[in-house]
Amino acid sequence: GFDRVVLAIPHPQAHDLLLASGLAPALRQALAPVHVAPCWTLMVAFPQAMQPGLAHLGPQWSAARSTHHRISWLARESSKPAREPIERWTVQAQTQTPLGRSHLLDEKLGIGLCGDWCLGRRVEDAFISGLELALALA
């Protein structure tokens, strides 16, 4: 006996748990359009870019979302506070088709699902998803 159950796990595992429980078929169906690819991260450092008077290498921006079919996020790590001045970049890929909503909730059963796959591909998306679900349950 629990009043609420929150599944903050990848959507395939949430689907399988719901399927095994025989509960919440509407939540299982809502997961069908979500498609994720393996997440990969490329981190690149350019220590040779350190030159007197050269504050940066490449573009003047610090982060960007990409609409490329594989790359989703680029971040200039050296622009973040308290970082070494060596020019470093992070490039990431992950969720291809997010749910498009911050969370799923079957209020009658008290079952909620959240995760980065709901809104996108980044840890910030997972945080917002969990927060929105918590507020909906409060």
Side-chain angles (χ1 to χ4, degrees), residues 6 10 17 43 50 62 65 75 84 89 100 110 116 121-122 137:
V6 172
L17 283 172
M43 297 186 81
M50 294 294 299
S62 298
R65 290 185 187 264
E84 295 291 323
W89 287 82
D116 60 346
R121 57 192 57 92
R122 298 180 43 224
L137 292 171

Side-chain angles (χ1 to χ4, degrees), residues 30-99:
L31 296 174
V34 177
H35 180 69
V36 297
C39 178
W40 57 262
T41 300
L42 169 67
M43 297 186 81
V44 182
F46 301 96
Q48 69 277 14
M50 294 294 299
Q51 297 177 17
L54 179 65
H56 60 82
L57 174 69
Q60 298 292 313
W61 41 267
S62 298
R65 290 185 187 264
S66 171
T67 58
H68 187 272
H69 68 285
R70 289 192 178 93
I71 296 172
S72 64
W73 176 250
L74 300 103
R76 185 172 171 236
E77 299 298 324
S78 50
S79 70
K80 296 177 180 177
R83 305 296 169 122
E84 295 291 323
I86 295 173
E87 192 69 29
R88 293 181 321 269
W89 287 82
T90 300
V91 181
Q92 293 181 317
Q94 199 178 50
T95 303
Q96 293 179 331
T97 307
L99 179 66

